[in-house]
Amino acid sequence: MENLLSIIIANKDHAPTLARQLYSIKTQTEKFDEIIVIDDGSEHDNSKEVIQKFYDENKDELNIKIELNYENKGVVQTINTGFDMSECEYLYFGFVFTRGSVDRDNYIGIGEIELYGVPEYDPEAHGTDVVVKSIAN
């Protein structure tokens, strides 16, 4: 079976929101094939412990990969790490970064992956490398 959807969570120093986001993954109604969690050198909280706990509690049930950086590599390198680790065709990114990130309070709402979902058409047939799907209220 082909791997279609990877959920990639990137974090730096935001353990409370990170825990909420990680556990919100389990509320999804859309099937996903893997979860990748990357910590970008958190120093001021217990983010690495939150990630390790989630991994230990769910590794038998979910396909989880973790990357715990012990030095800050920056947002771009963290995103690239997620790309490199993924074995799926489509990627869903969730960011939990402090200092200047508008995404630091994000979590994945119930059914949100289903709303974004995997495109109904074949991107390759349209010569597309990237599919961006958004929701307007």
Short mmCIF file of all heavy atoms in Angstrom, two decimals, residues 6 9 14 27 30 48 51-52 73 75 83 92 94 96 104 106-107 109 114 119 121-122 124 128 136:
data_model
loop_
_atom_site.label_atom_id
_atom_site.label_comp_id
_atom_site.label_asym_id
_atom_site.label_seq_id
_atom_site.Cartn_x
_atom_site.Cartn_y
_atom_site.Cartn_z
N SER A 6 1.67 12.26 5.55
CA SER A 6 2.56 12.37 6.69
C SER A 6 2.22 13.64 7.46
O SER A 6 2.07 14.71 6.87
CB SER A 6 4.01 12.45 6.21
OG SER A 6 4.88 12.61 7.29
N ILE A 9 5.31 17.59 12.72
CA ILE A 9 5.20 18.58 13.78
C ILE A 9 6.60 19.07 14.10
O ILE A 9 7.48 18.27 14.44
CB ILE A 9 4.56 17.98 15.05
CG1 ILE A 9 3.21 17.31 14.75
CG2 ILE A 9 4.46 19.03 16.15
CD1 ILE A 9 2.16 18.23 14.22
N HIS A 14 8.15 24.97 23.33
CA HIS A 14 6.74 25.24 23.59
C HIS A 14 6.02 23.95 24.00
O HIS A 14 5.05 23.53 23.37
CB HIS A 14 6.07 25.88 22.37
CG HIS A 14 5.06 26.89 22.76
ND1 HIS A 14 3.75 26.57 23.02
CD2 HIS A 14 5.17 28.21 22.98
CE1 HIS A 14 3.09 27.65 23.36
NE2 HIS A 14 3.92 28.66 23.36
N THR A 27 -7.12 12.38 17.38
CA THR A 27 -8.55 12.65 17.19
C THR A 27 -8.93 12.72 15.72
O THR A 27 -10.10 12.96 15.41
CB THR A 27 -8.96 13.99 17.84
OG1 THR A 27 -8.34 15.07 17.13
CG2 THR A 27 -8.57 14.03 19.31
N GLU A 30 -9.35 11.35 9.38
CA GLU A 30 -8.68 11.01 8.12
C GLU A 30 -7.50 10.09 8.42
O GLU A 30 -6.77 10.28 9.39
CB GLU A 30 -8.18 12.29 7.43
CG GLU A 30 -7.43 12.06 6.15
CD GLU A 30 -8.35 11.71 4.98
OE1 GLU A 30 -9.55 11.97 5.05
OE2 GLU A 30 -7.83 11.15 4.01
N LYS A 48 11.52 17.94 24.79
CA LYS A 48 12.07 16.65 24.41
C LYS A 48 11.42 15.51 25.20
O LYS A 48 11.15 14.45 24.65
CB LYS A 48 13.59 16.64 24.57
CG LYS A 48 14.30 17.50 23.53
CD LYS A 48 15.80 17.50 23.75
CE LYS A 48 16.52 18.33 22.73
NZ LYS A 48 16.13 19.73 22.68
N ILE A 51 7.92 14.89 23.77
CA ILE A 51 8.02 14.11 22.53
C ILE A 51 8.32 12.65 22.84
O ILE A 51 7.68 11.74 22.29
CB ILE A 51 9.09 14.71 21.60
CG1 ILE A 51 8.64 16.09 21.11
CG2 ILE A 51 9.38 13.77 20.43
CD1 ILE A 51 9.73 16.89 20.42
N GLN A 52 9.28 12.41 23.72
CA GLN A 52 9.65 11.03 24.04
C GLN A 52 8.49 10.29 24.70
O GLN A 52 8.23 9.12 24.38
CB GLN A 52 10.87 11.02 24.96
CG GLN A 52 11.47 9.65 25.16
CD GLN A 52 12.04 9.08 23.87
OE1 GLN A 52 12.87 9.71 23.22
NE2 GLN A 52 11.61 7.88 23.49
N LYS A 73 18.75 24.59 14.85
CA LYS A 73 19.13 24.60 13.43
C LYS A 73 18.28 25.58 12.63
O LYS A 73 18.55 25.82 11.47
CB LYS A 73 19.01 23.20 12.85
CG LYS A 73 19.98 22.22 13.49
CD LYS A 73 19.94 20.87 12.85
CE LYS A 73 20.96 19.96 13.53
NZ LYS A 73 21.07 18.68 12.86
N VAL A 75 14.18 27.25 11.56
CA VAL A 75 12.92 26.77 11.00
C VAL A 75 13.13 26.09 9.65
O VAL A 75 12.58 25.01 9.39
CB VAL A 75 11.91 27.93 10.87
CG1 VAL A 75 10.64 27.45 10.19
CG2 VAL A 75 11.59 28.52 12.23
N PHE A 83 10.90 17.00 5.54
CA PHE A 83 10.83 16.52 4.16
C PHE A 83 11.67 15.27 3.98
O PHE A 83 11.24 14.28 3.39
CB PHE A 83 11.33 17.59 3.17
CG PHE A 83 10.31 18.61 2.78
CD1 PHE A 83 10.52 19.94 3.07
CD2 PHE A 83 9.16 18.24 2.10
CE1 PHE A 83 9.59 20.90 2.70
CE2 PHE A 83 8.22 19.18 1.72
CZ PHE A 83 8.45 20.52 2.02
N TYR A 92 1.57 17.22 5.84
CA TYR A 92 0.81 18.19 6.61
C TYR A 92 1.74 18.71 7.68
O TYR A 92 2.22 17.95 8.51
CB TYR A 92 -0.41 17.53 7.25
CG TYR A 92 -1.22 18.47 8.11
CD1 TYR A 92 -2.35 19.11 7.60
CD2 TYR A 92 -0.85 18.74 9.42
CE1 TYR A 92 -3.08 19.97 8.38
CE2 TYR A 92 -1.57 19.60 10.21
CZ TYR A 92 -2.69 20.22 9.69
OH TYR A 92 -3.41 21.08 10.47
N GLY A 94 2.63 21.06 10.97
CA GLY A 94 2.16 21.81 12.14
C GLY A 94 3.39 22.37 12.82
O GLY A 94 4.38 21.67 13.01
N VAL A 96 5.14 24.54 16.07
CA VAL A 96 5.00 25.03 17.43
C VAL A 96 6.34 25.68 17.78
O VAL A 96 7.23 25.05 18.35
CB VAL A 96 4.69 23.90 18.43
CG1 VAL A 96 4.31 24.47 19.78
CG2 VAL A 96 3.58 23.01 17.91
N ARG A 104 2.47 29.30 16.95
CA ARG A 104 2.87 28.65 18.19
C ARG A 104 1.70 28.11 19.01
O ARG A 104 1.89 27.28 19.87
CB ARG A 104 3.76 29.54 19.02
CG ARG A 104 3.03 30.69 19.69
CD ARG A 104 3.98 31.38 20.65
NE ARG A 104 3.24 32.33 21.42
CZ ARG A 104 3.36 33.64 21.32
NH1 ARG A 104 4.19 34.14 20.46
NH2 ARG A 104 2.64 34.43 22.07
N ASN A 106 -1.03 26.73 17.62
CA ASN A 106 -1.80 25.81 16.78
C ASN A 106 -1.90 24.43 17.39
O ASN A 106 -1.00 23.98 18.09
CB ASN A 106 -1.14 25.65 15.40
CG ASN A 106 -1.43 26.81 14.49
OD1 ASN A 106 -2.11 27.74 14.86
ND2 ASN A 106 -0.88 26.75 13.31
N TYR A 107 -2.99 23.80 17.10
CA TYR A 107 -3.13 22.38 17.32
C TYR A 107 -4.01 21.87 16.19
O TYR A 107 -4.60 22.66 15.46
CB TYR A 107 -3.72 22.05 18.71
CG TYR A 107 -5.16 22.42 18.87
CD1 TYR A 107 -6.15 21.45 18.75
CD2 TYR A 107 -5.55 23.72 19.12
CE1 TYR A 107 -7.49 21.79 18.89
CE2 TYR A 107 -6.87 24.06 19.26
CZ TYR A 107 -7.84 23.09 19.14
OH TYR A 107 -9.15 23.41 19.27
N GLY A 109 -7.20 20.46 14.98
CA GLY A 109 -8.58 20.29 15.44
C GLY A 109 -9.17 18.97 14.99
O GLY A 109 -8.71 18.35 14.03
N GLU A 114 -8.98 15.75 7.73
CA GLU A 114 -9.99 15.37 6.75
C GLU A 114 -10.40 16.58 5.90
O GLU A 114 -10.61 16.47 4.70
CB GLU A 114 -11.22 14.79 7.45
CG GLU A 114 -12.27 14.28 6.50
CD GLU A 114 -13.41 13.59 7.24
OE1 GLU A 114 -13.63 13.87 8.43
OE2 GLU A 114 -14.07 12.77 6.61
N PRO A 119 -5.47 15.51 -1.96
CA PRO A 119 -6.19 15.99 -3.15
C PRO A 119 -6.92 14.87 -3.88
O PRO A 119 -6.43 13.75 -3.96
CB PRO A 119 -5.08 16.56 -4.02
CG PRO A 119 -3.98 16.86 -3.08
CD PRO A 119 -4.07 15.84 -1.98
N TYR A 121 -7.48 14.81 -7.01
CA TYR A 121 -6.93 14.63 -8.35
C TYR A 121 -5.47 14.24 -8.25
O TYR A 121 -4.85 14.38 -7.21
CB TYR A 121 -7.11 15.90 -9.19
CG TYR A 121 -6.30 17.07 -8.68
CD1 TYR A 121 -5.05 17.33 -9.21
CD2 TYR A 121 -6.78 17.89 -7.68
CE1 TYR A 121 -4.29 18.39 -8.74
CE2 TYR A 121 -6.04 18.95 -7.21
CZ TYR A 121 -4.79 19.19 -7.74
OH TYR A 121 -4.04 20.22 -7.28
N ASP A 122 -4.92 13.79 -9.34
CA ASP A 122 -3.53 13.37 -9.40
C ASP A 122 -2.67 14.58 -9.75
O ASP A 122 -2.70 15.05 -10.89
CB ASP A 122 -3.38 12.27 -10.45
CG ASP A 122 -1.96 11.79 -10.60
OD1 ASP A 122 -1.08 12.22 -9.81
OD2 ASP A 122 -1.71 10.98 -11.50
N GLU A 124 0.44 14.90 -10.37
CA GLU A 124 1.40 14.64 -11.45
C GLU A 124 0.74 14.78 -12.82
O GLU A 124 1.37 15.23 -13.77
CB GLU A 124 2.02 13.26 -11.28
CG GLU A 124 2.96 13.19 -10.09
CD GLU A 124 3.56 11.80 -9.90
OE1 GLU A 124 3.39 10.93 -10.78
OE2 GLU A 124 4.20 11.60 -8.86
N THR A 128 2.06 19.21 -11.32
CA THR A 128 2.16 19.94 -10.07
C THR A 128 3.07 19.19 -9.11
O THR A 128 2.96 17.99 -8.93
CB THR A 128 0.76 20.05 -9.43
OG1 THR A 128 -0.11 20.66 -10.38
CG2 THR A 128 0.80 20.87 -8.18
N ALA A 136 -11.43 28.62 3.97
CA ALA A 136 -11.88 29.98 4.24
C ALA A 136 -13.17 29.92 5.02
O ALA A 136 -14.04 29.12 4.73
CB ALA A 136 -12.09 30.72 2.91
#
